Amino acid sequence: MCRLAAYTGAAKPLSTLLFDAKHGLEHQAYAPQEMLRGSVNVDGTGIAWWDGIATHPLRYVSEHPPWSDPNLPDLAPRLNSSLQLAAVRSATPGIPFGAANVPPFVAGGLALVHNGLIGDFTGPLGRDIVATIPDDLFPQLAVLNDSRVLFLLAVARYRETGDLHTAVVAAVDAVAATVRRHSGQAMLTVAAADAAGIVALRTSVGSPQNTLYTRAADDGLWLASEPLDDDPRWRALPEHTVTDLRDGLVTTHRLPA
């Protein structure tokens, strides 16, 4: 599990999502308000961002919470980006600890955070999902992590379609179908980004769904597991929906039944 946040708009320092807001990710790491599982998010901090030059994002991850990372508090206020995706991690029991497991994961121009879990991932259900990773992407699995598997499936679909929205929906749908075949459970809240914008998906199989909120402001578009401040423009996303944040617009659609 984790708390996530994303932003696209006028260039802002990376501290915007992590440290600056009243209820930013640093605060959500130790005082989350809407967690469904666990009570803190202190098993790692990560952020992916675009520099406006390359389509592949830059990435910084650490196994530390934001306040105790040796570099991020000094780096974040001095690095600026108009497109950012960040997370603080709460490790799922049975999933390894360490920086390699901290989202966002990045590859092929895509960055992704999965806020949730796939039940029985170390059993037959997980084996079936892992088997669907394309051979050339399998070496990037690195560690047995349900979120990383979901990410690699999104990468595979992204390179086939070139469309972030389509890729995220297809990857989550494939995982959900396998979970249903095993009569399992999965929490599948996802935020992904490429150089053009952000896609957020909120759904689950046989399980409650982690919250997501958006905010449209004059300076840009925001996404977060929990509102980052008291701004009344934050809007909760409905269950079983996918949302695009790009070109100054927030567009939400129901997922197919």
Side-chain angles (χ1 to χ4, degrees), residues 1 4 36 113-118 150 168-177 179-180 185-191 199-212 237-243 252-257:
M1 307 293 284
L4 65 85
L36 295 179
V113 176
H114 167 218
N115 179 20
L117 57 86
I118 300 172
L150 177 57
V168 171
V169 172
V172 171
D173 186 61
V175 170
V179 172
R180 292 188 185 98
Q185 296 183 338
M187 304 171 76
L188 297 168
T189 295
V190 172
V199 171
L201 190 149
R202 184 177 180 228
T203 193
S204 64
V205 178
S207 176
Q209 297 178 30
N210 284 303
T211 54
L212 280 176
L237 293 180
E239 294 186 345
H240 302 295
T241 56
V242 58
T243 299
T252 299
H253 302 281
R254 290 285 301 178
L255 291 168

Side-chain angles (χ1 to χ4, degrees), residues 8 14 64-65 94 126 152 162 184 191 195-196 232 238 240-242:
T8 179
L14 302 188
H64 300 280
L152 291 175
H240 302 295
T241 56
V242 58

Side-chain angles (χ1 to χ4, degrees), residues 4 58 109 117 130 137 183 208 214 220-221 243:
L4 65 85
L58 298 161
L117 57 86
V130 170
L137 291 177
S183 300
T214 60
L221 306 176
T243 299

Side-chain angles (χ1 to χ4, degrees), residues 92-181:
T92 301
I95 303 298
F97 178 78
N101 294 281
V102 177
F105 305 113
V106 302
L110 181 152
L112 182 143
V113 176
H114 167 218
N115 179 20
L117 57 86
I118 300 172
D120 190 33
F121 184 71
T122 58
L125 190 159
R127 288 200 302 272
D128 280 0
I129 296 173
V130 170
T132 65
I133 299 173
D135 290 345
D136 65 315
L137 291 177
F138 188 77
Q140 296 190 40
L141 183 57
V143 289
L144 191 60
N145 180 314
D146 54 351
S147 297
R148 198 171 183 95
V149 170
L150 177 57
F151 162 68
L152 291 175
L153 294 178
V155 171
R157 277 122 180 113
Y158 183 68
R159 69 185 183 184
E160 293 169 359
T161 66
D163 182 79
L164 182 63
H165 178 111
T166 301
V168 171
V169 172
V172 171
D173 186 61
V175 170
T178 303
V179 172
R180 292 188 185 98
R181 285 199 301 272

Side-chain angles (χ1 to χ4, degrees), residues 226-249:
E226 304 176 12
L228 303 177
D229 52 35
D230 298 326
D231 191 319
R233 290 173 291 186
W234 287 102
R235 297 288 182 267
L237 293 180
E239 294 186 345
H240 302 295
T241 56
V242 58
T243 299
D244 291 273
L245 296 86
R246 65 179 64 220
D247 301 325
L249 298 174

